[in-house]
Amino acid sequence: MHRPAVPALSATDPEIARLVEAEARRQFEKIRLIASENYVSQAVLEATGTVLTNKYSEGYPGRRYYEGQQVVDPVEALAVDRAKSLFGVDHANVQPYSGSPANLAVYLAFLEPGDTVMGMALPSGGHLTHGWSVSATGKWFRSVQYGVRKETGRVDLDEARDLALRERPKVIFCGGTAIPRTIDFPAFAAIAEEVGAVLVADIAHIAGLIAGGAHPSPVGHAQVITTTTHKTLRGPRGAMILSDADHAKAVDKAVFPGLQGGPHNHTTAAIAVALGEAAAPSFRTYAHDVVANARALAAALAQRGFDLVSGGTDNHLILVDLTGKAIAGKPAAKALDRAGIEANYNTVPFDPRKPFDPSGLRLGTAAITTRGLGPDQMPQLAAWIDAAVQAAGDEPLLDRIAAEVAELMAGYPMPGWA
Ligand code: DSN
């Protein structure tokens, strides 16, 4: 059952209580390979369910527009201090509701509508809010986009530099949502400096790896860093903007009053808890284990003939290109889900198919590493993935794999389920 137990919820709203229980069981039984997901700790879960949700706190600690901040102020101050210390930055704003609002705040802080922003194209691994055409950031700003090299699947830094020199963006985003390789922050910083742009590193996917020393840090290279708190960082759904001292005031003004109202104080508390956990030595081990698992899974998939964008991974994420297979990303993801393995279909660079029915599968190892799986188990995962993708439509076989998956996962505890 769900832990903490939900007796009041069961009495008041049995329908929602039943769904919460069902989701907890689902998360317990499945191999969760969605690269942006994780399992938060019991302590983080508890913090998100507290009376802090009842409080409005527009403003910042010591400068609020509502009274009664005797408790919320130190909660937010703790979250800020822990973020600054964990990442080694001058300034942290822990109020953005999630990654997209955090990135929007960056636009508000450093651009006027119509100004030029440069980001990585979505099909190459960027994020919608890095100026992609369907996003407000691509509609209200003049966006120019860089990509990856076809032969290597890696960022084409020469192309990015040429583009920046030609288009003179005021803000450059690096980072994204489907990048399996190390981000070269010093190279992006050199480009940004050459054109006088603010470099923003969106580290949403790799924040936990950076905190744990398993990926280089953008600090000292990017003036502004945005991140969600719930991916490899293993906190609640939320976000932060980190910056150097020179950009701190503009960031704070953009988040509040520019874009948001009251921060979600229960989330702020849970972010503080997660940041405390990420500062512990065991989190360093976790971050390195995430990468070791991803490398082992990538190697096992490659051995089975899967084509991986860039040939492998340096981080938690693997992008499988199914272009050469008889199946597209969406039916493959649906077959995997039926087989108890959760992933998402994803565009791959130069995808010949449409975004809603693309050629790729995105996999990540943050969640399974939290559960305790290790590199020795990755060949078995790859075997199940291979069998499920080939067996799409063969429901008895997919059900058989799901039963084997559930049997394996029963041996690995999950915070939130007892
Ligand atoms: N939805 C997140 C992801 O899955 O990467 C990014 O916004």
Side-chain angles (χ1 to χ4, degrees), residues 93-99 102 227-230 236-241 271:
N93 185 310
V94 297
Q95 295 193 3
Y97 299 139
S98 202
T227 184
T228 50
T229 44
H230 47 268
R237 297 298 287 259
M240 306 189 290
I241 306 179
I271 289 173

Side-chain angles (χ1 to χ4, degrees), residues 34-36 100 127 177 205 231 344 362:
I34 292 184
S36 45
S100 295
H127 189 253
T177 61
H205 266 264
K231 299 185 174 94
N344 69 279
R362 190 183 67 158

Side-chain angles (χ1 to χ4, degrees), residues 23-266:
E23 175 62 9
R25 176 183 288 281
R26 195 193 66 77
Q27 292 186 15
F28 180 65
E29 289 180 347
K30 279 194 165 176
I31 289 179
R32 297 176 57 232
L33 293 177
I34 292 184
S36 45
E37 295 183 353
N38 210 328
Y39 295 91
V40 299
S41 70
Q42 200 67 40
V44 168
L45 266 184
E46 285 177 14
T48 57
T50 59
V51 295
L52 292 170
T53 195
N54 296 338
K55 187 71 195 117
Y56 251 118
S57 311
E58 266 121 326
Y60 292 99
R63 292 176 286 129
R64 306 282 193 185
Y65 289 81
Y66 294 72
E67 295 311 313
Q69 310 298 339
Q70 295 85 351
V71 176
V72 165
D73 272 6
V75 167
E76 186 170 334
L78 266 175
V80 167
D81 285 349
R82 289 179 187 177
K84 283 162 61 177
S85 144
L86 184 67
F87 289 96
V89 288
D90 296 334
H91 182 71
N93 185 310
V94 297
Q95 295 193 3
Y97 299 139
S98 202
S100 295
N103 284 345
L104 277 180
V106 165
Y107 286 79
L108 194 56
F110 304 112
L111 297 162
E112 295 293 331
D115 279 349
T116 303
V117 61
M118 183 170 119
M120 192 183 206
L122 187 68
S124 291
H127 189 253
L128 283 164
T129 56
H130 297 180
W132 190 242
S133 55
V134 298
S135 149
T137 62
K139 289 181 193 288
W140 295 342
F141 300 88
R142 185 176 162 269
S143 167
V144 294
Q145 304 262 284
Y146 59 89
V148 292
R149 285 205 182 101
K150 195 162 191 176
E151 322 77 65
T152 62
R154 295 175 190 243
V155 177
D156 189 330
L157 283 160
D158 294 333
E159 185 206 316
R161 178 172 177 269
D162 290 347
L163 192 64
L165 287 171
R166 203 167 56 240
E167 305 291 350
R168 315 299 296 191
K170 280 173 81 174
V171 165
I172 297 177
F173 276 92
C174 61
T177 61
I179 304 173
R181 294 296 179 177
T182 302
I183 299 167
D184 190 343
F185 297 121
F188 276 106
I191 295 170
E193 193 177 1
E194 212 175 336
V195 300
V198 175
L199 179 64
V200 181
D202 181 341
I203 61 165
H205 266 264
I206 53 175
L209 305 185
I210 292 168
H215 186 290
S217 169
V219 177
H221 305 294
Q223 295 97 329
V224 179
I225 298 164
T226 62
T227 184
T228 50
T229 44
H230 47 268
K231 299 185 174 94
T232 51
L233 192 55
R234 215 162 58 176
R237 297 298 287 259
M240 306 189 290
I241 306 179
L242 315 174
S243 76
D244 61 17
D246 291 346
H247 295 78
K249 211 166 156 189
V251 164
D252 281 356
K253 234 175 102 186
V255 174
F256 176 84
L259 195 64
Q260 297 189 171
H264 295 174
N265 298 314
H266 55 305

